[in-house]
Amino acid sequence: MSLEEIQTRIRAAEEKAGREVGSVNLIAVSKVQPDERVRAVLEQGHRQFGENKVQEAAGKWPAFREQFDGITLHLIGPLQTNKARQAMELAEVIHSLDRPKLAKTIARLAQDMGKCPDLFIQVNTGEEEQKAGVMPRDADAFVAECRGLDLPVAGLMCIPPVDEEPSLHFALLAKIAERNGLSGLSMGMSGDFESAIAQGATHVRVGSAIFGERDYT
Ligand SMILES: *Cc1c(COP(=O)(O)O)cnc(C)c1O
């Protein structure tokens, strides 16, 4: 598939859901992809990208920023507290705020640095042991805690379990966001972004459908 094709499908999904065209942000997830594929998407004018790992983001995005203006980098992978400063220097948005210790660290660094990326709180909607994110039952309290720390919470993020119907998880995330007065919803990947848009996604994170399969070898 191509960037253009994904953009067309996003527009169609927005229209079908009765949502304003252009209201969904497409994050092109460039993790593990070769630089020439990323460059091709930049040359088509796309500017929002997602990376999983701080280290990998640090290795490629400073150079791309020198060549292309207006890039917004989203960090979408699990974040260790000892990498928080580097993450906040690199990314405009962090989608994986998932625990009090990280919230406190980011709040302290934000004071120190005089700036803070927009933050999405990751919710473990499937309550999977191996997955990051606050449990749904703890989400309201964690949102309040983050607000108490003056963190710029933009919304919620989830990664549904691979073997379950994603729309149920998208609906749950939307419900938690609504009752907390949060407008941002980071949900939907290559296989399910249309369903996420139907459920109110404001940010979809699409990797392989734009760039092709990731080659981890
Ligand atoms: C890799 C990744 C994606 C993109 O996955 P695709 O299936 O390639 O679209 C989205 N979100 C997160 C958190 C990811 O790690």
Side-chain angles (χ1 to χ4, degrees):
M1 254 174 276
S2 67
L3 175 68
E4 211 177 317
E5 196 174 336
I6 298 302
Q7 287 168 330
T8 303
R9 285 173 55 188
I10 288 174
R11 264 196 304 278
E14 286 168 335
E15 278 170 3
K16 194 169 163 210
R19 300 182 52 193
E20 196 184 326
V21 168
S23 56
V24 176
N25 292 276
L26 170 59
I27 302 171
V29 179
S30 49
K31 66 182 183 201
V32 189
Q33 300 287 354
D35 280 358
E36 65 268 20
R37 288 190 193 167
V38 181
R39 180 180 298 280
V41 170
L42 279 161
E43 279 168 356
Q44 290 173 74
H46 196 71
R47 289 294 180 268
Q48 296 206 64
F49 291 84
E51 288 287 341
N52 247 39
K53 296 192 170 142
V54 175
Q55 214 60 34
E56 189 182 342
K60 61 204 226 205
W61 285 97
F64 282 138
R65 283 194 201 271
E66 281 182 16
Q67 299 163 56
F68 299 91
D69 286 332
I71 290 170
T72 299
L73 189 63
H74 299 257
L75 192 76
I76 60 175
L79 181 57
Q80 295 169 265
T81 45
N82 65 4
K83 299 242 174 77
R85 179 184 285 273
Q86 198 182 5
M88 291 167 71
E89 281 163 355
L90 279 167
E92 281 80 16
V93 190
I94 294 176
H95 292 240
S96 47
L97 174 53
D98 63 353
R99 58 196 191 279
K101 187 178 173 206
L102 182 60
K104 285 175 196 137
T105 302
I106 291 175
R108 180 172 48 75
L109 289 167
Q111 285 283 328
D112 195 40
M113 297 163 75
K115 62 167 191 172
C116 189
D118 286 334
L119 302 169
F120 284 80
I121 292 173
Q122 186 172 352
V123 181
N124 188 353
T125 56
E127 306 195 20
E128 296 173 282
E129 225 155 77
Q130 78 285 6
K131 205 165 265 175
V134 293
M135 291 297 164
R137 63 178 168 278
D138 299 328
D140 297 358
F142 188 55
V143 171
E145 181 174 357
C146 291
R147 284 178 166 152
L149 290 165
D150 273 336
L151 292 175
V153 181
L156 304 179
M157 176 271 217
C158 77
I159 308 170
V162 285
D163 52 357
E164 285 180 31
E165 172 54 44
S167 62
L168 301 174
H169 295 270
F170 299 152
L172 173 60
L173 196 73
K175 198 173 99 186
I176 299 171
E178 189 181 8
R179 72 172 180 243
N180 283 284
L182 290 167
S183 56
L185 284 172
S186 168
M187 57 190 198
M189 318 203 310
S190 288
D192 54 23
F193 66 87
E194 283 142 324
S195 147
I197 291 169
Q199 304 277 351
T202 58
H203 294 69
V204 294
R205 311 177 308 264
V206 180
S208 44
I210 293 173
F211 295 104
E213 290 304 316
R214 287 178 288 275
D215 183 358
Y216 286 97
T217 56

